[in-house]
Amino acid sequence: QVQLVESGGGLVQAGDSLRLSCAASGLTFSNYAMGWFRQAPGKEREFVAAVSRSGITTYYADSVKGRFIISRDNAKNTVYLQMNSLKPEDTAAFYCAALPWGYGSSRYDPSKYDYWGQGTQVTVSS
């Protein structure tokens, strides 16, 4: 049974940092690109960042470029999202997801991801 478990969310002030983690089990982690998405109340789920299977290549939404860093540790089956200079508009539930091999060009499309975590809430106060 595949499980993705996010952690690290919380309530912070604008300008603070948070590091999200997503621990994967039940799948061959290194066979999947990994992505982070977020969803604010009343809004659609949106792409935040993705990392290739090797961890060498990363992709970011324009809204987080220069502030967020995605990384992965294949030995620990874990993907991370370091979030710096947080803004109130970053407030959302954050989800990690696993993208199967061969769908790399579809990294921005949540429907292409096979597995999802339950989400972790990030709230940024002004």
Side-chain angles (χ1 to χ4, degrees), residues 11-53:
L11 171 63
V12 297
Q13 293 187 330
D16 285 350
S17 298
L18 275 177
R19 188 194 197 200
L20 305 183
S21 298
C22 171
S25 61
L27 76 171
T28 304
F29 185 68
S30 59
N31 283 354
Y32 290 81
M34 296 297 294
W36 285 96
F37 289 76
R38 66 186 180 186
Q39 188 167 18
K43 295 188 176 182
E44 292 189 353
R45 191 165 297 191
E46 67 171 357
F47 172 81
V48 175
V51 60
S52 63
R53 291 176 293 142

Side-chain angles (χ1 to χ4, degrees), residues 89-113:
E89 50 264 43
D90 293 318
T91 295
F94 280 72
Y95 301 86
C96 68
L99 182 68
W101 182 78
Y103 285 87
S105 61
S106 302
R107 65 186 68 87
Y108 305 104
D109 182 356
S111 71
K112 302 302 183 186
Y113 285 73

Side-chain angles (χ1 to χ4, degrees), residues 55-117:
I56 292 175
T57 308
T58 57
Y59 309 85
Y60 298 95
D62 287 343
S63 58
V64 307
K65 202 171 294 184
R67 299 189 298 123
F68 291 10
I69 301 172
I70 188 171
S71 62
R72 66 189 294 162
D73 185 338
N74 286 346
K76 295 183 178 180
N77 286 2
T78 301
V79 61
Y80 305 97
L81 186 67
Q82 176 67 42
M83 305 187 295
N84 302 318
S85 302
L86 283 161
K87 304 176 180 180
E89 50 264 43
D90 293 318
T91 295
F94 280 72
Y95 301 86
C96 68
L99 182 68
W101 182 78
Y103 285 87
S105 61
S106 302
R107 65 186 68 87
Y108 305 104
D109 182 356
S111 71
K112 302 302 183 186
Y113 285 73
D114 275 355
Y115 305 108
W116 290 83

